[in-house]
Amino acid sequence: YHGAVEISIIFSVYYGFLFFGTIPQLMYMKKSFILTSIFICRIIFNILITIPFIIWLGVVGAAWATVFTALVFGVISLTISQYYYYINYEWKKILTIYFVFISGSMSMIFIDISYIQLLYLKIIYLFIYLFIGVHYKILTKENFGIIKSFLFK
């Protein structure tokens, strides 16, 4: 169903934010009460903002509300987790990757172009990801070898 494409793209952004919303630091520090509290607040917050978003945007609004909740509580979870167990994240790399990811996702939703132009745009974003990966030494010859052996068994 073609109408689900936008929702699928929105939920891919949601899963990107979810990475920082499920932080194991609090489990490691045995702070399960804090985890439970964050989870309950997250559910309540999501319900409270989903209703107006559905009224405003319909089904797509529910997806956007879920993304917004993931973003807000990802920041809250990360802040609280860093307080109890600090991890020195490489923020420049992370924010660069997130920026490309979100800008690519949003361009797929909001730019009204033909399918072939959209395909070219996706290929451009793929090459941007590859460039960033090589530039930040995330993608190395060894990693390419692992990917190649996995894909072409």
Side-chain angles (χ1 to χ4, degrees):
Y1 174 65
H2 183 68
V5 171
E6 183 176 356
I7 294 171
S8 299
I9 293 170
I10 294 168
F11 277 123
S12 71
V13 173
Y14 165 74
Y15 285 113
F17 288 141
L18 201 59
F19 176 80
F20 283 106
T22 56
I23 301 189
Q25 293 149 278
L26 292 174
M27 282 297 254
Y28 178 74
M29 296 304 294
K30 298 181 185 251
K31 302 291 182 187
S32 59
F33 175 76
I34 294 172
L35 278 172
T36 304
S37 300
I38 291 171
F39 181 71
I40 290 169
C41 290
R42 182 181 181 145
I43 291 171
I44 293 168
F45 182 80
N46 194 30
I47 291 169
L48 290 176
I49 68 166
T50 297
I51 295 168
F53 271 63
I54 289 173
I55 293 169
W56 180 38
L57 298 170
V59 176
V60 174
W64 279 116
T66 303
V67 168
F68 183 69
T69 300
L71 175 62
V72 169
F73 279 88
V75 170
I76 291 170
S77 298
L78 179 64
T79 304
I80 293 170
S81 297
Q82 288 290 84
Y83 174 78
Y84 286 103
Y85 189 89
Y86 182 77
I87 295 177
N88 188 20
Y89 289 107
E90 297 180 71
W91 286 112
K92 182 179 178 185
K93 293 178 183 180
I94 292 169
L95 293 176
T96 302
I97 292 168
Y98 267 104
F99 175 76
V100 172
F101 172 63
I102 292 169
S103 64
S105 299
M106 295 303 103
S107 66
M108 298 301 133
I109 294 173
F110 295 117
I111 296 177
D112 189 25
I113 54 179
S114 71
Y115 179 78
I116 193 73
Q117 291 169 321
L118 201 57
L119 184 60
Y120 286 133
L121 187 59
K122 289 176 183 181
I123 292 169
I124 289 169
Y125 275 106
L126 176 64
F127 280 110
I128 291 171
Y129 269 119
L130 292 174
F131 173 78
I132 290 170
V134 171
H135 176 72
Y136 284 137
K137 296 179 177 68
I138 297 168
L139 294 175
T140 61
K141 287 182 182 180
E142 294 82 23
N143 291 346
F144 280 120
I146 292 169
I147 292 169
K148 183 180 174 185
S149 67
F150 177 75
L151 293 176
F152 304 108
K153 284 186 179 183

